[in-house]
Amino acid sequence: MRPARALIDLQALRHNYQLARELSGAKALAVIKADAYGHGAVRCAQALQAEADGFAVACIEEALALREAGIRAPILLLEGFFEASELALIVQHDLWCVVHSLWQLDAIEKASLSKQITVWLKLDSGMHRVGLHPKDYPSAYQRLQATGKVARIVLMSHFARADELDSNASNDQVAVFQAARQGLSAEISLRNSPAVLGWPQIPSDWVRPGIMLYGSTPFEVPQAEAQRLQPVMTLESKVISVRELPAGEPVGYGARFISQRPTRVGVVAMGYADGYPRLAPTGTPVMVAGKRSQLIGRVSMDMLCIDLTDVPEAGLGSPVELWGKNVLASDVAIQAGTIPYQIFCNLRRVPLVYSGD
Ligand SMILES: *Cc1c(COP(=O)(O)O)cnc(C)c1O
């Protein structure tokens, strides 16, 4: 059996969820869209459901999969419905629904619903992706109330730059939000992971932690609260071949690595078809036989090479951690010019093995 697999520590997931609550003092929707950022949405929801205030996903397909698996907690659709016909399912399965555009508001006004729904009304406070324009926000709230179809409204917005701790952009967005919601009495939800960790003064009755649940920092720089996160996923495999090369020999496709000294090369059963980033360069950290080492040469589809020269105790069959509790996924991401979010979401082919239920 191919030794590549992703271990998922559900105990760590619960720890991170509790940390989000503790740091924010708020109710927390666990964001488990995109199959819980590659960690398996159903298993993650099951692990959290005893304590979670609710979950958030991107679309109704993701929500229905959770309902089918028996998850009864509130589930918020972060983009609401994509077409009005989904409203019947939203009612039937008791889902919470973001309204981010006027066309969605029109659709709710036109729909006949057999029960009242919960709407999270989204303001565009500066990210300019989705959300209502501030000038439309109070009237949208009044229109929703007037339909009689809405039992509860939560006011929300989303930050574009909360991961930049030296930027004032998030405070500017809060100011836009506070101005737009003047006179509207409802709970509010602003903070995502970077805002939970790094912006304690920003108010939020509900927080929406995603990446931090999985134990990865959203920041590119060290940050005190992020240090308290526990990595949930360990991507591991084994050394399947070892060779000794003299100095001056190439390794892998494109000869992107040339040995500068006599070099012991380990081949690991892990490649970009598993989601390991192909753009990770020579020098990207790995852990082999409990010691830190590094990637050499280009990542191929099913294999990659690592330097065993300074790890003589490592050999055929030695365990390799590509990321996890020792090698941080965020560090691998930085090396590969991406973010831990994408590293996790790209994971495929490797079996997910759970512990800590
Ligand atoms: C994905 C998402 C989140 C979670 O963001 P993280 O940075 O992973 O915490 C929160 N809110 C909205 C609207 C999202 O789309």
Side-chain angles (χ1 to χ4, degrees), residues 182-251:
Q182 279 283 328
L184 309 182
S185 76
E187 289 185 312
I188 65 169
S189 175
L190 295 176
R191 294 162 76 187
N192 53 359
S193 296
V196 168
L197 293 163
W199 298 88
Q201 73 286 7
I202 290 180
S204 215
D205 300 304
W206 289 87
V207 294
R208 307 187 306 270
I211 194 72
M212 70 175 289
L213 295 180
Y214 310 104
S216 212
T217 178
F219 306 112
E220 288 212 351
V221 295
Q223 198 264 350
E225 277 70 31
Q227 237 106 61
R228 297 172 61 192
L229 296 170
Q230 296 179 3
V232 172
M233 182 191 295
T234 299
L235 182 65
E236 61 166 38
S237 190
K238 286 186 172 161
V239 174
I240 59 166
S241 175
V242 178
R243 72 196 56 240
E244 311 265 356
L245 296 177
E249 290 295 320
V251 174

Side-chain angles (χ1 to χ4, degrees), residues 31 33 37 56 78-79 98 122 129 156-158 190-194 208-214 218 341:
V31 179
K33 63 191 179 191
Y37 296 35
L78 287 167
E79 278 134 64
V98 167
K122 187 165 185 173
R129 189 179 57 177
M156 74 176 289
S157 194
H158 191 56
L190 295 176
R191 294 162 76 187
N192 53 359
S193 296
R208 307 187 306 270
I211 194 72
M212 70 175 289
L213 295 180
Y214 310 104
Y341 300 72

Side-chain angles (χ1 to χ4, degrees), residues 13-30 191-193 196-197 207-210 212-213 228-229:
L13 179 73
R14 282 191 291 267
H15 165 89
N16 298 329
Y17 179 80
Q18 291 300 352
L19 183 65
R21 265 220 194 118
E22 179 198 318
L23 291 174
S24 63
K27 290 174 279 190
L29 285 188
R191 294 162 76 187
N192 53 359
S193 296
V196 168
L197 293 163
V207 294
R208 307 187 306 270
M212 70 175 289
L213 295 180
R228 297 172 61 192
L229 296 170

Side-chain angles (χ1 to χ4, degrees), residues 94-148:
D94 216 357
L95 304 172
W96 295 356
C97 178
V98 167
V99 167
H100 60 68
S101 293
L102 288 172
W103 72 262
Q104 290 175 321
L105 185 52
D106 296 339
I108 291 174
E109 283 179 332
K110 289 203 190 84
S112 62
L113 305 180
S114 58
K115 259 192 321 199
Q116 288 188 315
I117 57 174
T118 292
V119 168
W120 287 44
L121 189 60
K122 187 165 185 173
L123 175 75
D124 175 9
S125 58
M127 185 167 181
H128 300 334
R129 189 179 57 177
V130 293
L132 299 172
H133 192 281
K135 75 169 165 42
D136 296 328
Y137 201 60
S139 58
Y141 178 91
Q142 308 303 350
R143 278 174 64 190
L144 271 181
Q145 293 283 29
T147 63

Side-chain angles (χ1 to χ4, degrees), residues 33 35 60 89 93 122 124 133 146 157 174 189 197 211 230 236-237 266 270 287 289-290 300 311 316 323 325 340 354:
K33 63 191 179 191
D35 204 23
I60 196 153
L89 287 168
H93 295 277
K122 187 165 185 173
D124 175 9
H133 192 281
S157 194
V174 173
S189 175
L197 293 163
I211 194 72
Q230 296 179 3
E236 61 166 38
S237 190
M270 179 65 63
M287 192 92 165
S300 17
V311 196
L316 209 57
W323 58 72
K325 301 197 193 278
Y354 292 90

